[in-house]
Structures are given as C-alpha cells and as structure tokens.
Amino acid sequence: MTEPPGLETQRREVASLLRQSELRAGDSWYVMERRWYEQWKEFVETGDQNSSSFPGQIDNAELFEDLDSYHLKERLVENEDFMLVPAEAWHRLLDWYGMVDGQPPLERKVVDLPSTLKVEVYPVEIFLCLHSNMENVITAQFSRADSIHSIQRAMCDAFTVPPGSECRLWMKSSDSSCERLRNVHVSVLDACLSSGMTVIMETRNADGTWPSSRPQIMRNSVEDQDSYRGQPGVCGLTNLGNTCFMNSALQCLSNTPPLTEYFLLSSYLEELNFTNPLGMKGEIAEAYADVIKQMWSGRHFSVVPRVFKTKVGHFASQFLGYQQHDSQELLSFLLDGLHEDLNRVKNKEYIELRDAEGRPDQEVAEEAWRNHRRRNDSVIVDTFHGLFKSTLVCPECHKVSVTFDPFCYLSVPLPVSKERVMEVFFVSLDPYAKPAQHRVVVPKAGKVSDLCSALSEMTDVPPTQMVVADVFNHRFYKIYNADECLSCILDRDDIFVYELSVLEEQQEEQVLLALYLRERSHYRDYGSGSSSYGTSLFGHPLLLSVPRSCCSREALYKLFLQRLARYVRPPDPSEELEEEEEEEDEEEEELYKTQTNGISDEEEQEDGEKAGPSQTQPCSGDSSANGQSEETATAERRPNVNHTQPSLDDGDTETTDAAENQTEPVCSAGANTTNADVVNPGGDSSSNTATAAEPPPPAEQPHPPRETTEEEKEEDKQEEACSPSLPANEQPAKRKACRKRRKSLFTIQAVNSNGTTERGTGEGGSAVSFSSQPYVAIDWDPEMKKRFYNENEAEKYVKHGSMEVPQQQTTVQLQECIELFTTVETLEEENPWYCPVCKKHQLATKKLDLWSLPEVLIIHLKRFSYTKFTREKLDSIVDFPLRDLDFSGCLLKKSLSNGEPPSRYDLIAVSNHYGGLRDGHYTSYAWNKDNGQWYYFDDSKVTYAREDQIVTNAAYVLFYHRRDKIRKPTLPAPTSGPAASSASQTANDITSCKDDDADAELGATASASYVTMETD
C-alpha cells in the first residue's frame, strides 16, 4: 500500500480512467461492492482527510454467499449491488486503501458474446477430475474467453500430471454423455462449456492406448498383458472382416519412417486443422495416430483398428461395411485425408494457373510448386508429393500446352499381352473316348472360330465340325456362334467343345440337339396338380448333330445309347426287363414333326438373347440361333461360384409328366442314326454305378477353380440356378390298350434350355418344335440309373499333352513400366482436351514426364485392367529392385544438390494382392527402420521375411525411400536361428520354424524357414 495522493487527485484520476476505458475482449475488469465505492466517492468529494466518511479497506463481504468459499451471491445487479471498474483504476484504489485480509480480488474478463461485448461477472464454474480417479473432483472457474488449453494446463498442475504426458479432455454434461474436446485452441464459449459440467482428463497409456477406449489386445493370457515387450513396429492388425486391404495399407504407411516419427513425436497435435472444409476435423489424423502409437509401443502382438475403421467409413462411405476393397484406393483416401487434417494453411487463397507459354521449364515448375505450397502445406506434402510435367499437343493446330502438376503416387501401367491361355474340354465323336482337357493360346480380341482353329491343330478335327458351349450346373449356359468374341468367355467358365458328325451326302438337313440327363425322384409331385414326378439334372450335357429323319423316339433312343456307351451298360438278355405298358394312338409314334429348321423374324427378335444357337454347321450357324420360347426362358445366367466340374448330386428339381413315361423297344427299325459308323466296339464299357451325362471333365483330376468373373453375368446365373421348376403340361387323354413290351433304360423328354420345364406336345403329337434350339432330356428311374449307369466312368477325363507344358510366367522390369508411364498417348473420346486456339475439344496427344520426386515415392502397379469389354488382373511378375532404384535417366530436372543425387531409392514396403478381380487377400512386406529387418505382415500374423521372397507376382503397391534420407538402423538385426528362442519364451514370442512349408500363408512367396510371431 502506497501513500495516497490528495483527495481531489484521487477523484480526478479514477474518474478519468472510468471515462476513458472501453470494453475490449480479453481485458480484465474488477467487481467492487457498491456501498464501499459510494462511501469512497463521498469521502473524496468532502475534501476532508479526517472526515467520518473514510471508507477504510476495500471490503466485498456483502457480495459473497459465505466467507469460506467466497462464492458470489446469485443474481447480483450492476450499479445496485456492485460496480465494475477497469483494471488500472482497481489497482490504484488497491494501492491506496488495501483490501480486507483473505478476500480474493474479483477479477472478471471481457468476453465477446454474439453481437456484444460484456464483462463476465459470473464465470463458468466446472468440475475437474482424472479418468483414472473419478472420485477426486475439484471445482474451478474459467472465463468464457479462456482456451480449452488453459483448462488442460490448470488440470495438469492441479493433479501433478508428469510433464510430456499426452492428454486429452472430455466434456461431460448433466445427462452423463461425454464428448471429446478435440480442439484445445478454441475458447470455453466456443466449446459450449457451461457451469455445472465436468471436464475429465485422461493420459495415454504406455502401450499407446487410451484408458477410455482400450482395444481388445490379442494376448496369450491375462498375465502376459503388461509383460510383453516386442520390437516396436512389429505388430499385427486384426482382420475385422474383409479388412486385409486396410491392414496392408496401414502396415506400409506404418513403416514409412518420416511419417511415423512425426506421429510418434506428437508433432501432429500442433498442426491439427479443425476448420478445413476439405478435411475431417482432425479425426482421421487422431485415429491414425492412435493406431501408430499402439503399433510402435512394443507392447502388442496385434492391434484391433476398429475405431480407425469406423472413422474411415464415416468420412468415406465407400468403405462402410465389410466388403473387400482396394488397398491403393484406401491409401489414396488416407493420404489425402491426413493432408487436409494436418494442412498448415488455414485459409486457402484462390490461385489462377498459368500455361507455360514458352517460358523455361525451370521457371514454370518453380512457379507451379510455389502455388501448390501456398494452398497445401503438410507433412504429407513434405514426404510424398512430387511434380510431373504434362505436355498436350493439339492434333489440328499443333498448339503445345505445358503444365506442371503435383502427384502423391505414380500409377504405372503393366505391358499387356495380346494373347490369352484358355483351358477347354474336347468331346470327341468316338463314344468310348474320354473328354480331353486342352490348353490353347488364342488372341485376346479373337472370336470363337479362333478357339476352334487352335483346337483343330491339336485334334485334327476341322473347325467346322466343332461347336463351343459353356456348361454350368449340368446344363448349357450358352452355345456360342463362331463369330462371337472370346472376351465374353471368362477364365472361370467351363468351356466344352463338341465334335459333330458330318454326313457324306449333305442333302439331308441336320439338327443340333442338346441332350440333358435327369433322374426321377421316387415320389410324385402332388403340388403341381398333375401326375408328375420330380426330377433333377445330373452329369454333363451333350451336343449331337442328328439328321432330321432320325428324330423319332426309337431312333434317338438308339443313338443316345450309342453315344453313352462308355458309361451306360446295355442290359444282358438274361436280365430282360418287361413291363405292362399303355399303348397310345399311332399318331404318337413319330416324336418330332418334320418342318424347316428356321425361325421367323418375329421369333428371331424374341429369342435373340436366349440360350444357344440352333445351327446346322458347327461353330458357324446363323447368328439368330440361341432361340427359346419366352415361356421357357426363365434364366440365362448363373451364380458366381468357384466350381470344379459340375457335380452329379446337385441339380435343380423339376417335374416330369408320368404320362410321358413310355417305354420303347431297345432295337427299333429305321434307326438311321448319324453316329452309327462312329461307335467303337473296342472301347471300355462301364460297370453299374451312377454318374454324369456326357464325356465332360470327370473327377479323375479336379478342375482348378477359376479366377475372374463378371458381376452382371454372375448375378443372372444365380437367378438360373435358383429358378423354380414349372409343372409339366398335361397330355391329352388317349385310347389306351395294355400289352407287354421290353422296358427301356430311360425315357426321352423334350425340355427347355434350363432342363426344367417340359414343352407341350406340338402339332401332330410332336413334343419339340424346331422353331428354336431343340433340347431333350433322358429321364432315368433311380433303380435303372444305379444298375446301368456308371458314374465314376462318366466323370473321367484325360489331360492332353498341352496341359503338361508349364505356363511361362511373364516378367517385366519396373523400369519398363515407368517408361510406359512416360510414353505419348492419345486422349480417349470420353476425356478430350479443350484447345484454346481451335476453340473446341480435341483428342490431343499427352505425355507425362517426371520433374521432381518426393522423399518417399509410392509406385502403384496397375494390375487391374478394365476396358469396355474385359476386366482382368495381370499376374505378370514385375521385377523391382530392393536397393538403388535409379531415376536419373527419366528425371527431366537435372540439377543435383551437393552430395548424393536425389534420384536413388531403396525399397521399404510392398502391399501384395493375391487372387482375382472380385476376391483375394492383401498382405504386406515392410522393412523395420529400427533393426533393418524385413517382415511379412498377414493381418494379425507377423513373420520374418528374406529379401529373395519379396519380388512376387502379387506385388501391388511399392514404397521407396530416397537414399540420402534413410538413417541407419539403431538396433542389431534379430537372429532367426534357434538362438532366437529360449525355454522361457511363451508360445507367442519369436520361435523358430525350420520346416520348408512352415509358412503356407505366404501365398505365392517361396517357402523357407520363418520365424513366427503370431497370436493364438
């Protein structure tokens, strides 16, 4: 307390300060009891130092509820209960008069409320506690203008939190819901904190987790949970359900040293951008940081990235759910999201891009990079962004446009072969010859006739005597015309090529007949309302070329017996089967009416996209084939399954009319069958088991599962496999008489292309109409099938010599892919360039060149090829160097810094993809920055890897680190021999495996000795 000046001086100074003071946000003002202030005013105005109105020490006792807590009374009114004085006036009065002992000065801040400035008489009073000890609660007051960071500092002081601890705050309101206070730089007012709320602080655990959301760590036992100490970064990621693509990308980024060190040092906390409209409010960066800190804590075998997965799905809806996705697509989203969440540029300015217009490349490139950094400045730009030069040339006016564009990764194409290898089954005319599996090389853009020609060279059968069909589920999915494109045949399809007979005298027209095999069930299908039996398809279907004159039931019966002679045993005379049969009118004697095998224009339009071609010449019928009536075209497509050869026991159930269950003589007159001269009596006859129809691929060797499939085709195929059976058409009543005759092995039934619905009897009693592709089924009684049909023999097939020739795995150099990336290409019609000189869109030529490369270079190998007609995965091996990848030859910018050229790179990580287009599995290889050891990451399983295992045909995304930035490992490389394990180690610690096949899960990588660190 200082000696006060004269009373008039006091009055004048305080009055002047009160007059001049304006409310400014953040300034301090003080609350003073009005009674004391009025007494002071009266005292100074009397001018008498000895006046009885001397106020004494400043006393605010009347403003407090009690003198223990010094809480302000509720609902005090300014200028009635208290006065507000600026800080300078308060300090002068305090100096002159002092303050009653124990009373706190009532300092209050000016806050900027919406549309007004106000002194905050009643600050926000909140409760503070630690997550680890919720019982210990303290009360504190904070101005609405204070930042959340000031609350965090106050809590660290109050609860003596160790310095350097990473903390985060939660706001708990009265309804007990908690909300993260993410942005510690906002004010209490902006964070919506109000009196009565609780702020909870938690500190990160040593294992990188947070107490409030400790994940389900995979451990051996509870005792192990805090005792495990492993190599930081060598940590698996649990597969949450088709999330191997995410795990693979995360492992690669986790082993990118500059990015990981940035997060481990918590540098991201100061750079979180909560206001960027292109970002995710810092949530992606925080979720990624949590995963990295857990993986690099060295305390986990495996981490469950569930929170990260949820955040990714929240901000990128394409990753919602648990479908399989592309690791490169996730990587692209994640790098972009991290960049925007950590962008140091808070307000992006608009920058108009300029064309080169003849200026030197160096000048244009520096300007482009400068402009890019004015809007984009983050650790992602520092680490991953490079610059390439784009040159467009107009084909008309030859205007050259040069721009420099930043890139985050290089997507390089792979050289594409113009040929494809197809595996097909050839079914010979010889009934005793087994189907032969062939491997043929055909043009990718070829036609079905090219397949027939290639097969003709191996079989010596003319291409004109072949017909190609796609078999699925014991029926024909499609019968192909010779001029159809091979691109519509997928590698996964079961393709059969049938040899057709040719009459020496081509005077008589031939019918291409599709033959299915069906088995009757023992019970009647009473639900159909007719006396019909349920049937199911089995075995392999057949395609036969039959002269029209041989289409009677008797002729077909004999022909079918001949064609099935390899696995259908004719009855001996000693086991003649007789049965009573109801004889029908003579008009039923002839099964098929004779008529032209053509269809009208209307029918052609109706049936154009149905089942398969009805053609007289194999592989070259008219393009209108595929006919089938609308009523019977229930489905054309089939489900997406990794089927081996169509099996015998799973057929669709249908009904067959009992009235058609007639028997024919085994030997009938006039069986002028086309294939009679082909029967080989020396073939191996079959015993009496049960099995499939024609020769197709049997079960001696399983047909390998196929890789690719086409979505639309597969969905429709699913419809077919599930199509319901339709009731049979009832036969009109006939005059019948009973007589004895020999019982046939099977009955012949006209069906539709699915083999599920019998057609009605046509004119003149015929059961099949030749206005569309004819399909017939032979129906077997289960007992007859068991006795006379040999399933094992029917399923057998042989492998042609072409199947034994090992397929050459094509290998390309990474340098070739990069050169392909920088070659001149012409823009596609969907993506033209607007020429500013011609004033119209042009299909310009475009060339990309590399100008400058980043510290970490990501190279994406474009293995998935999509065109208008085809989709495929390229399985070529790309030979990429593990060390010293030199870009000096393809970099336009030649200026080198002192020391090592900035164009040599070492490999640090690889994302692998095994499988095909619609399915597959992702894994990764990565080099640990601390010990210099390569590891193989397969979800939660981690194993040591050798350098000679890394280059495979599964490599998909490559991560390279510039050599001048790589730091030497600080730890010795771990030993992978027996010394690595000791008796005291648990099953989940590093153990030695010496078996050559110890790591079957490495997919395409060579098997060798591995050291396993997987969890139970």
Side-chain angles (χ1 to χ4, degrees), residues 547-567:
R548 183 174 292 280
S549 63
C550 299
C551 285
S552 68
R553 285 183 189 272
E554 294 172 354
L556 289 177
Y557 183 85
K558 187 168 184 179
L559 171 62
F560 293 164
L561 267 184
Q562 289 173 337
R563 282 306 305 265
L564 306 177
R566 183 167 61 87
Y567 43 91

Side-chain angles (χ1 to χ4, degrees), residues 239-383:
N239 192 323
L240 304 172
N242 280 332
T243 56
C244 56
F245 72 96
M246 181 181 81
N247 294 347
S248 175
L250 283 176
Q251 292 288 8
C252 292
L253 279 182
S254 166
N255 286 281
T256 301
L259 186 64
T260 293
E261 286 164 8
Y262 171 85
F263 279 98
L264 291 180
L265 294 172
S266 297
S267 306
Y268 72 99
L269 290 174
E270 294 303 315
E271 297 187 344
L272 285 171
N273 189 333
F274 298 97
T275 59
N276 186 353
L278 299 178
M280 289 88 178
K281 308 292 183 283
E283 293 187 39
I284 286 291
E286 286 185 335
Y288 178 76
D290 287 349
V291 173
I292 293 300
K293 292 197 175 192
Q294 291 169 41
M295 293 173 68
W296 286 83
S297 67
R299 294 171 184 248
H300 302 304
F301 299 114
S302 178
V303 168
V304 183
R306 185 169 284 111
V307 175
F308 178 80
K309 164 78 173 68
T310 305
K311 294 291 183 191
V312 168
H314 176 71
F315 289 106
S317 58
Q318 67 267 33
F319 297 114
L320 271 174
Y322 295 92
Q323 300 300 314
Q324 183 64 278
H325 294 282
D326 189 304
S327 67
Q328 188 271 333
E329 289 178 8
L330 177 89
L331 193 66
S332 173
F333 161 77
L334 184 54
L335 288 174
D336 189 53
L338 289 175
H339 160 63
E340 297 296 357
D341 269 2
L342 299 167
N343 199 343
R344 301 169 189 124
V345 179
K346 306 301 183 200
N347 297 305
K348 296 188 177 186
E349 55 182 311
Y350 172 73
I351 297 170
E352 192 165 344
L353 299 178
R354 292 175 58 199
D355 198 76
E357 294 171 352
R359 292 179 293 162
D361 281 355
Q362 183 75 27
E363 179 187 334
V364 182
E366 287 175 0
E367 177 186 80
W369 186 247
R370 243 186 349 263
N371 290 340
H372 179 59
R373 292 302 292 252
R374 280 162 65 186
R375 291 173 55 85
N376 304 280
D377 185 14
S378 70
V379 64
I380 303 298
V381 177
D382 299 341
T383 309

